[in-house]
Short mmCIF file of all heavy atoms in Angstrom, two decimals:
data_model
loop_
_atom_site.label_atom_id
_atom_site.label_comp_id
_atom_site.label_asym_id
_atom_site.label_seq_id
_atom_site.Cartn_x
_atom_site.Cartn_y
_atom_site.Cartn_z
N PHE G 138 97.06 93.97 57.55
CA PHE G 138 97.03 92.66 56.88
C PHE G 138 97.08 91.54 57.93
O PHE G 138 96.30 90.59 57.88
CB PHE G 138 98.22 92.52 55.92
CG PHE G 138 97.93 92.97 54.52
CD1 PHE G 138 97.73 94.31 54.22
CD2 PHE G 138 97.85 92.06 53.48
CE1 PHE G 138 97.46 94.74 52.93
CE2 PHE G 138 97.58 92.45 52.17
CZ PHE G 138 97.38 93.80 51.90
N ALA G 139 98.01 91.66 58.87
CA ALA G 139 98.18 90.60 59.88
C ALA G 139 96.96 90.52 60.79
O ALA G 139 96.54 89.44 61.19
CB ALA G 139 99.45 90.86 60.69
N ARG G 140 96.39 91.69 61.11
CA ARG G 140 95.25 91.72 62.04
C ARG G 140 94.04 91.00 61.45
O ARG G 140 93.34 90.27 62.12
CB ARG G 140 94.91 93.18 62.35
CG ARG G 140 93.87 93.37 63.44
CD ARG G 140 93.86 94.79 63.99
NE ARG G 140 93.57 95.82 63.01
CZ ARG G 140 94.47 96.70 62.54
NH1 ARG G 140 95.72 96.64 62.95
NH2 ARG G 140 94.13 97.62 61.66
N TYR G 141 93.80 91.21 60.16
CA TYR G 141 92.59 90.67 59.56
C TYR G 141 92.77 89.30 58.90
O TYR G 141 91.80 88.59 58.66
CB TYR G 141 92.04 91.65 58.51
CG TYR G 141 91.37 92.84 59.15
CD1 TYR G 141 91.93 94.11 59.07
CD2 TYR G 141 90.18 92.68 59.86
CE1 TYR G 141 91.31 95.20 59.67
CE2 TYR G 141 89.57 93.77 60.47
CZ TYR G 141 90.13 95.02 60.37
OH TYR G 141 89.52 96.08 60.97
N SER G 142 94.02 88.91 58.62
CA SER G 142 94.20 87.69 57.84
C SER G 142 93.93 86.43 58.67
O SER G 142 94.32 86.34 59.82
CB SER G 142 95.63 87.63 57.28
OG SER G 142 95.76 86.46 56.49
N GLU G 143 93.28 85.50 58.03
CA GLU G 143 93.03 84.20 58.67
C GLU G 143 94.02 83.15 58.17
O GLU G 143 93.94 81.98 58.54
CB GLU G 143 91.58 83.78 58.38
CG GLU G 143 90.58 84.70 59.09
CD GLU G 143 89.15 84.61 58.57
OE1 GLU G 143 88.92 83.99 57.51
OE2 GLU G 143 88.26 85.18 59.24
N VAL G 144 94.95 83.58 57.31
CA VAL G 144 96.04 82.69 56.86
C VAL G 144 97.36 83.42 57.13
O VAL G 144 97.37 84.64 57.33
CB VAL G 144 95.90 82.33 55.35
CG1 VAL G 144 94.62 81.56 55.09
CG2 VAL G 144 95.98 83.58 54.48
N PRO G 145 98.49 82.69 57.16
CA PRO G 145 99.77 83.34 57.47
C PRO G 145 100.11 84.48 56.51
O PRO G 145 99.84 84.40 55.31
CB PRO G 145 100.79 82.19 57.33
CG PRO G 145 100.00 80.95 57.57
CD PRO G 145 98.63 81.23 56.99
N VAL G 146 100.71 85.53 57.07
CA VAL G 146 101.15 86.69 56.28
C VAL G 146 102.68 86.73 56.28
O VAL G 146 103.31 86.57 57.33
CB VAL G 146 100.59 88.00 56.89
CG1 VAL G 146 101.18 89.22 56.18
CG2 VAL G 146 99.07 88.02 56.79
N VAL G 147 103.26 86.94 55.11
CA VAL G 147 104.71 87.07 54.97
C VAL G 147 105.02 88.52 54.59
O VAL G 147 104.47 89.03 53.60
CB VAL G 147 105.27 86.13 53.88
CG1 VAL G 147 106.79 86.26 53.79
CG2 VAL G 147 104.89 84.69 54.16
N ASN G 148 105.88 89.15 55.35
CA ASN G 148 106.29 90.52 55.06
C ASN G 148 107.33 90.52 53.94
O ASN G 148 108.44 90.02 54.11
CB ASN G 148 106.88 91.14 56.34
CG ASN G 148 107.32 92.58 56.14
OD1 ASN G 148 107.25 93.12 55.04
ND2 ASN G 148 107.78 93.20 57.21
N LEU G 149 106.97 91.10 52.82
CA LEU G 149 107.87 91.16 51.66
C LEU G 149 108.55 92.53 51.55
O LEU G 149 109.01 92.91 50.49
CB LEU G 149 107.09 90.85 50.37
CG LEU G 149 106.38 89.49 50.35
CD1 LEU G 149 105.62 89.31 49.04
CD2 LEU G 149 107.38 88.36 50.54
N GLU G 150 108.59 93.23 52.61
CA GLU G 150 109.17 94.55 52.89
C GLU G 150 108.06 95.53 53.20
O GLU G 150 107.28 95.92 52.34
CB GLU G 150 110.08 95.13 51.80
CG GLU G 150 110.78 96.42 52.33
CD GLU G 150 111.84 96.99 51.42
OE1 GLU G 150 112.31 96.32 50.46
OE2 GLU G 150 112.23 98.16 51.68
#
Side-chain angles (χ1 to χ4, degrees):
F138 269 69
R140 188 164 60 251
Y141 285 111
S142 182
E143 292 164 349
V144 297
V146 173
V147 182
N148 181 357
L149 302 179
E150 188 172 346

